[in-house]
């Protein structure tokens, strides 16, 4: 067995250096990757291993300019994510990756960028904000349209507002259900898209969230005239290996761990409406 | 055209209507402002107007719950076309700058000029259609865990 | 290809040669009322004088009137069981007292030799090579087992009722992938015709008591086997299934399918796996992979709900992957026409028939 071949399956240990409680069930952790920097494209993911519990795919949510700091936002939804969310600084996790395709941050240059994210779907696009901010002059208007269930479920809220202020992003937030703390928009995220005043012929749209949400977002984007080949989405599937060998993430001929998770709408559209593929 | 007719023609709800139609609508229209917390509509009370929002946010409420907000460039109120009573409370969130279309005057204008009636009815139906689409997405509660 | 004649009582010399250098020999043997592939050491372990009677949903054994060693058709096992084992440890994780995490590899697998593989089995190895030895993605588990393997194939002289390799272009003639190919000749004085398919094959028979022979027995056997085959995969199946993704015909097969996954287990090319994490009494965490099946509802579990919730959707995934999208992924069909999925389906579902019915190929 060659060492290179082994690396595909074998994680690298990395210590947790910080942890931020984002919402009731979601945390952001930073891992020290100085010993094996994770150079990634926004949209890519890693396999995170919790000792004794197993591996799970998690999008990278950090700044691509800092491969020595691996940042993940994780929501506790299952057997492996529960212990991952419970880790504390000093503990060590296993990491493989990065894997998969990234958002079209280069293709989007010289035009407007519209990011539409909902719920935990904000985590995989967070590196896009860093990438756009790093070369802000290459983009026209940048729209960040974010939906969440309640104000308490909004991820990165303060940071997004800081980013929007510092880099001139048009940030719009909406929630499905308001509470006393919220005097902003109440309604679904597609409505932010209806209201955003961008030029559909010059815009690249990136959407990430539950599949049903993305279905409505894409429908609205197409209605506004964004071409199918300028719409990108991130598909989520059960993944066990992330290297195209376990078969779990197949969607038609795609292994979404390799030709996804990020893909263009015109590549996805014919399968999107066939249920249960 | 009057300033009001120009303002109406610039609003997405009425963009593209003819000058004649805009003048007919302007004859039913007046500028209104609401201050934060001011009640725009009250459930069960007579619904006598459509509000075309130019700037600001109105919360549609069922009891204490905010069902949805209506924002800049959107439109609120079409019950005068149907049973004539409001079906939600509507409360200004911050300053609201709007144009009020008087329901009775507009109804009469739509009867007088069937082409106006047709054009406006279509636009109102589109609002209802969009609102229904949003309601569908909302009812799926897509951000919940393990649906 | 050079041809030689080998007497049956000299076959053990070849089996010894195959096991030189500690190579583990895998061949057919009788176990639990079936002919499986397992470790063998000599011809005494081979199923002598047996034949198979095969039909959708069943295979049983009968005695033959002769002493044939390979007088049966394929059983449930293929080389997959050894090259891509049902369960294999990928690594172990260990935590020291300071909380440091260490990942350790597992032991080197043995070197293997196979005897008794058929043309369909060789084609299946070729397909699994395409899956596991892709440029940039080499599966170390498979690569280590596959490297330096020796294969002595057997030329089929008959076909089971469920065989359709001729229509898949994978058999019944063994024409590639074997180091040696044996054709068992039972007429007259029983003997084997040995064809040499590689330099390794040449080395295997060097010094054995074989005599050059001019024989057409292999071609005659293959022709006999081909003539038995009635099933034919429709030629347009790759496109016709993709055009039928939303056909109600999937519901019909779903009503019969038990979603047991037997077809994927006996399929010599199905490669899907899951991983399981367990902890040893010493506190080490074991990360192992094991065969999984796309017929399992949990296969597509996403936060508590399955993407392919219904059996129709899962059957569709299996059939379209095997016969359509496999081409896009690996430039080959995923089916070799061995018929095992038909034989070992408890409901006797026939994928050829389903492909024809669902794809509308008449």
């Amino acid at each position: 067995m060659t060492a290179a071949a082994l690396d595909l399956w074998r994680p690298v240990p990395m210590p947790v250096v910080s942890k931020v409680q984002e919402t009731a069930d979601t945390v952001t952790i930073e891992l020290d990757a100085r010993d094996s920097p994770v150079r990634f494209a926004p949209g890519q993911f890693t396999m995170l291993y919790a000792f004794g519990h197993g591996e799970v795919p998690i999008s990278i949510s950090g700044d691509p300019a800092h491969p020595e700091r691996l940042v993940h936002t994780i929501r506790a939804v299952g057997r492996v994510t529960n212990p991952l969310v419970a880790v504390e600084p000093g503990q060590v996790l296993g990491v493989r990756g990065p894997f998969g395709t990234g958002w079209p941050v280069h293709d989007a240059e010289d035009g407007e960028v519209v990011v539409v994210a909902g719920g935990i779907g904000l985590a995989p696009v967070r590196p896009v904000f860093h990438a756009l901010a790093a070369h802000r002059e290459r983009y026209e208007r940048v729209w960040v349209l974010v939906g969440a269930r309640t104000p308490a479920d909004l991820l990165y809220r303060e940071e997004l507002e800081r980013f929007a202020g510092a880099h001139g992003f048009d940030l719009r937030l909406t929630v499905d259900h308001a509470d006393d703390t919220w005097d902003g928009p109440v309604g679904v995220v597609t409505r932010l898209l209806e209201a955003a005043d961008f030029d559909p012929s010059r815009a690249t749209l990136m959407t990430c969230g539950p599949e049903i949400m993305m279905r409505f977002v894409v429908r609205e984007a197409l209605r506004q005239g964004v071409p199918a080949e300028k719409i990108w989405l991130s598909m989520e599937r059960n993944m066990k290996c992330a290297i195209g060998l376990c078969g779990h993430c197949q969607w038609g001929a795609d292994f979404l761990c390799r030709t996804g998770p990020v893909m263009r709408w015109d590549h996805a559209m014919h399968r999107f409406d066939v249920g249960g593929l | 055209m009057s300033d009001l007719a120009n303002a109406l023609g610039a609003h997405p709800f009425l963009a593209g209507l003819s000058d004649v139609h805009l003048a007919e609508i302007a004859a039913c229209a007046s500028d209104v402002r609401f201050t934060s917390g001011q009640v725009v509509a009250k459930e069960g009370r007579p619904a006598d107007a459509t509000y075309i929002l130019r700037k600001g946010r109105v919360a549609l409420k069922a009891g204490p719950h905010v069902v949805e907000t209506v924002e800049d460039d959107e439109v609120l109120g079409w019950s005068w076309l149907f049973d004539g009573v409001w079906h939600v409370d509507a409360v200004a969130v911050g300053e609201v700058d709007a144009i009020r279309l008087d329901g009775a005057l507009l109804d009469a204008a739509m009867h007088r000029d069937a082409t106006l009636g047709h054009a406006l009815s279509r636009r109102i139906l589109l609002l209802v259609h969009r609102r229904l689409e949003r309601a569908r997405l909302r009812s799926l509660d897509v951000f919940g865990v393990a649906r | 290809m050079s041809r030689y004649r080998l007497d049956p009582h000299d076959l053990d010399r070849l089996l010894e040669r195959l096991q030189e250098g500690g190579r583990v020999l895998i061949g057919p043997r009788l176990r639990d009322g079936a002919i499986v592939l397992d470790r063998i050491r000599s011809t005494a372990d081979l199923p002598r004088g047996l034949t198979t009677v095969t039909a959708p949903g069943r295979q049983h054994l009968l005695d033959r009137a002769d002493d044939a060693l390979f007088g049966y058709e394929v059983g449930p096992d293929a080389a997959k069981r050894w090259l891509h084992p049902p369960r294999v440890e990928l690594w172990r994780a260990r935590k020291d007292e300071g909380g440091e995490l260490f990942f350790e590899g597992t032991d080197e697998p043995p070197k293997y030799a196979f005897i008794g593989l058929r043309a369909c089995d060789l084609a299946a190895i070729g397909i699994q090579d395409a899956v596991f030895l892709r440029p940039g993605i080499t599966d170390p588990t498979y690569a280590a087992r596959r490297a330096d393997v020796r294969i002595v194939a057997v030329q089929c002289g008959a076909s089971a009722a469920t065989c359709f390799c001729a229509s898949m272009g994978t058999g019944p003639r063994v024409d590639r992938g074997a180091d040696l190919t044996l054709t068992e000749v039972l007429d007259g004085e029983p003997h084997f015709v040995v064809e040499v398919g590689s330099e390794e094959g040449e080395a295997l028979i060097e010094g054995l008591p074989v005599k050059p022979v001019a024989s057409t027995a292999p071609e005659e056997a293959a022709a006999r086997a081909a003539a038995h085959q009635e099933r034919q995969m429709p030629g347009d199946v790759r496109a016709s299934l993709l055009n039928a993704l939303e056909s109600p015909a999937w519901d019909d097969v779903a009503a019969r399918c038990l979603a047991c996954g037997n077809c994927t287990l006996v399929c010599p090319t199905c490669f899907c796996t899951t991983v399981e994490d367990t902890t040893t009494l010493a506190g080490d965490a074991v990360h192992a992979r094991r065969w999984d099946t796309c017929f399992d509802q949990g296969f597509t579990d996403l936060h508590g709900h399955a993407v392919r919730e219904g059996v129709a959707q899962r059957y569709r995934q299996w059939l379209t992957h095997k016969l359509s999208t496999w081409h896009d992924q690996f430039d080959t069909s995923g089916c070799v026409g061995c018929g095992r999925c038909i034989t070992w389906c408890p409901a006797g579902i026939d994928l050829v028939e389903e492909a024809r019915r669902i794809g509308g190929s008449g």
Side-chain angles (χ1 to χ4, degrees):
Chain A
M1 266 186 264
T2 67
L6 259 181
D7 284 348
L8 291 176
W9 283 101
R10 200 188 289 190
V12 173
M14 290 189 198
V16 177
V17 291
S18 72
K19 172 176 164 182
V20 174
Q21 191 78 35
E22 300 280 0
T23 71
D25 60 5
T26 303
V27 302
T28 295
I29 58 170
E30 182 180 322
L31 297 155
D32 180 353
R34 280 175 302 180
D35 288 345
S36 30
V38 179
R39 290 176 215 291
F40 70 99
Q44 286 193 296
F45 67 97
T46 70
M47 294 298 282
L48 276 191
Y49 172 71
F51 182 73
H53 295 282
E55 282 188 317
V56 60
I58 305 282
S59 289
I60 306 175
S61 293
D63 182 348
H66 288 283
E68 77 287 1
R69 299 182 212 152
L70 182 61
V71 176
H72 285 293
T73 295
I74 309 166
R75 184 178 183 190
V77 288
R79 197 176 50 78
V80 181
T81 49
N82 290 339
L84 281 176
V85 162
V87 297
E88 294 299 337
Q91 284 181 256
V92 182
L93 298 178
V95 178
R96 288 193 294 133
F99 300 113
T101 55
W103 298 104
V105 287
H106 297 298
D107 292 350
E109 288 177 6
D110 303 317
E112 293 189 61
V113 178
V114 184
V115 177
V116 189
I120 191 75
L122 201 55
V125 291
R126 192 190 195 206
V128 172
F129 305 144
H130 287 284
L132 299 181
H135 301 284
R136 183 66 187 87
E137 72 287 354
R138 297 182 186 170
Y139 304 91
E140 296 173 9
R141 287 182 83 170
V142 173
W143 300 84
V144 178
L145 314 177
V146 178
R149 194 165 190 237
T150 72
D153 295 317
L154 269 173
L155 287 179
Y156 316 137
R157 190 170 163 194
E158 282 172 26
E159 182 194 74
L160 281 174
E161 279 161 1
R162 259 203 328 276
F163 246 90
H167 303 289
F169 294 174
D170 285 284
L171 173 67
R172 305 279 187 272
L173 309 175
T174 188
V175 297
D176 282 356
H177 305 284
D179 59 20
D180 293 344
T181 68
W182 185 257
D183 62 358
V186 178
V188 291
V189 71
T190 47
R191 195 279 197 75
L192 299 178
L193 191 56
E194 280 183 57
D197 177 27
F198 61 88
D199 177 353
S201 69
R202 299 194 52 74
T204 299
L205 185 137
M206 311 177 198
T207 185
C208 187
E211 230 168 272
I212 306 168
M213 185 208 89
M214 294 194 292
R215 177 192 298 271
F216 280 80
V217 166
V218 169
R219 189 191 296 169
E220 177 59 29
L222 293 168
R223 179 155 65 198
Q224 294 196 22
V226 183
E229 65 273 16
K230 299 285 279 294
I231 297 173
W232 298 72
L233 67 166
S234 183
M235 293 295 297
E236 187 181 17
R237 284 293 183 271
N238 185 337
M239 293 175 186
K240 299 292 186 193
C241 77
I243 48 180
L245 292 177
C246 78
H248 279 256
C249 68
Q250 286 181 86
W251 193 43
D254 280 301
F255 291 97
L256 285 174
C257 66
R258 297 185 53 80
T259 48
V262 177
M263 60 171 61
R264 244 165 61 170
W265 174 247
D266 54 347
H267 184 57
M269 55 195 267
H270 299 296
R271 281 168 287 170
F272 210 77
D273 290 331
V274 180
L277 266 189
Chain B
M1 281 211 300
S2 68
D3 287 351
L4 210 46
N6 280 328
L8 288 169
H11 195 280
F13 175 52
L14 299 176
L17 285 185
S18 69
D19 289 353
V20 175
H21 284 161
L22 289 172
E24 286 177 288
I25 297 168
C28 313
S30 55
D31 277 315
V32 286
R33 276 172 186 280
F34 298 97
T35 56
S36 190
Q38 197 177 342
V39 173
V40 179
K42 187 85 189 143
E43 186 180 346
R45 300 277 169 78
D48 56 0
T50 289
Y51 294 97
I52 296 183
L53 304 191
R54 303 173 73 178
K55 197 92 196 115
R57 173 176 305 140
V58 175
L60 306 184
K61 299 174 81 171
H65 302 289
V66 178
V67 178
E68 191 170 12
T69 54
V70 182
E71 316 264 332
D72 312 346
D73 290 345
E74 293 185 314
V75 173
L76 163 69
W78 44 72
S79 294
W80 55 267
L81 262 172
F82 311 112
D83 56 358
V85 292
W86 290 105
H87 292 266
V88 287
D89 293 342
V91 182
V93 182
E95 297 285 312
V96 173
D97 176 4
I99 299 171
R100 179 182 186 278
L101 303 183
D102 185 275
L105 293 176
L106 203 54
D107 198 33
M110 288 165 72
H111 273 101
R112 268 197 313 278
D113 179 351
T115 62
L116 175 69
H118 178 72
L120 264 186
S121 300
R122 277 187 67 100
R123 280 160 197 255
I124 291 170
L125 266 177
L126 182 63
L127 295 177
V128 178
H129 167 69
R130 292 287 176 85
R131 193 77 70 80
L132 177 63
E133 219 174 27
R134 291 179 201 166
R136 277 193 196 127
L137 174 54
R138 178 96 165 267
S139 72
L140 293 168
D141 194 21
V142 294
F143 303 129
V145 193
R147 283 170 310 101
Chain C
M1 271 201 291
S2 331
R3 293 184 179 187
Y4 303 92
R5 179 187 164 112
L6 176 73
D7 286 332
H9 59 261
D10 290 325
L11 185 59
D12 268 319
R13 301 280 299 276
L14 176 59
L15 300 199
E16 284 160 19
R17 182 65 64 80
L18 283 166
Q19 296 173 84
E20 278 174 9
R23 221 177 270 283
V24 172
L25 179 60
I26 304 298
R29 68 184 303 169
L30 187 61
R31 200 183 65 210
D32 302 332
I35 292 169
V36 299
L37 286 184
D38 205 345
R39 178 156 194 180
I40 62 168
R41 288 183 168 81
S42 71
T43 52
D45 295 327
L46 292 171
R48 185 180 298 268
L50 286 177
T51 191
T52 39
V53 179
T54 307
R58 65 197 158 87
Q59 179 176 76
H60 53 258
L61 303 178
L62 288 179
D63 288 330
R64 295 175 63 101
D66 55 35
D67 271 347
L69 290 171
F70 300 100
Y72 37 83
E73 283 85 48
V74 291
D77 286 342
K80 172 173 105 167
R81 174 170 294 279
W82 300 93
L83 299 178
H84 174 46
R87 184 180 183 282
V88 64
E89 265 187 51
L90 294 170
W91 42 259
R92 286 181 178 226
R94 188 168 51 76
K95 222 174 209 178
D96 72 5
E97 284 139 22
E100 286 293 321
L101 205 51
F102 299 91
F103 295 96
E104 286 154 2
T106 53
D107 298 338
E108 293 272 330
K111 296 281 177 212
Y112 287 113
F114 292 91
I115 188 165
L117 302 186
R118 310 302 175 106
C120 55
D121 294 324
L122 301 180
I125 291 174
I127 291 172
Q128 289 223 314
D129 285 352
V131 171
F132 288 115
L133 306 177
R134 275 177 271 176
I137 318 173
T138 297
D139 179 64
T141 302
Y142 184 85
R145 286 164 174 74
R146 176 73 174 93
D148 205 28
V149 83
R150 296 289 182 275
I151 297 173
V152 177
V154 165
Q155 174 59 56
C156 289
S159 288
T162 47
C163 291
F164 57 99
C165 62
S167 74
M168 298 308 298
T170 54
R173 179 76 177 112
V174 175
D175 57 6
R176 75 192 90 109
D179 297 305
L180 297 174
T181 302
L182 306 181
T183 301
E184 188 168 29
V185 179
L186 299 159
D187 295 339
E189 192 185 336
H191 65 279
F192 291 103
V193 175
V194 184
E195 298 169 87
V196 180
S198 69
E199 281 175 27
E200 288 79 6
E202 201 73 64
L204 281 172
I205 56 163
E206 199 186 320
L208 292 191
V210 292
K211 291 190 290 281
V213 67
S215 166
T216 53
E219 286 79 7
E220 288 159 21
R224 265 198 321 275
H228 288 173
Q229 293 186 16
E230 289 169 6
R231 272 184 186 69
Q232 280 205 339
M233 184 63 77
D236 64 348
V237 68
R238 178 182 177 185
S240 70
L241 287 180
L242 286 189
N243 289 332
L245 287 180
E246 297 184 275
S247 163
W250 299 102
D251 294 329
D252 181 83
V253 64
R256 287 171 279 135
C257 173
L258 308 175
C260 66
N262 265 15
C263 49
T264 61
L265 300 179
V266 296
C267 176
T269 69
C270 269
F271 60 85
C272 288
T273 54
T274 187
V275 286
E276 59 186 18
D277 292 89
T278 52
T279 307
T280 66
L281 290 175
D284 289 350
V286 179
H287 189 70
R289 81 175 180 197
R290 62 172 175 74
W291 288 355
D292 202 354
T293 171
C294 54
F295 283 93
D296 189 276
Q297 194 176 30
F299 191 83
T300 55
D301 182 73
L302 203 56
H303 316 315
H305 74 100
V307 174
R308 295 182 205 119
E309 215 155 22
V311 175
Q313 295 170 334
R314 285 176 256 150
Y315 192 88
R316 179 178 67 187
Q317 168 59 25
W318 182 66
L319 202 68
T320 54
H321 184 216
K322 188 74 39 193
L323 301 174
S324 294
T325 53
W326 206 298
H327 286 278
D328 301 293
Q329 296 170 341
F330 304 112
D331 217 14
T332 167
S333 172
C335 178
V336 296
C338 68
R340 287 181 173 98
C341 59
I342 307 172
T343 307
W344 279 278
C345 174
I349 294 171
D350 175 349
L351 94 162
V352 177
E353 178 55 31
E354 297 304 327
R356 190 180 299 282
R357 190 181 59 81
I358 295 165
S361 306

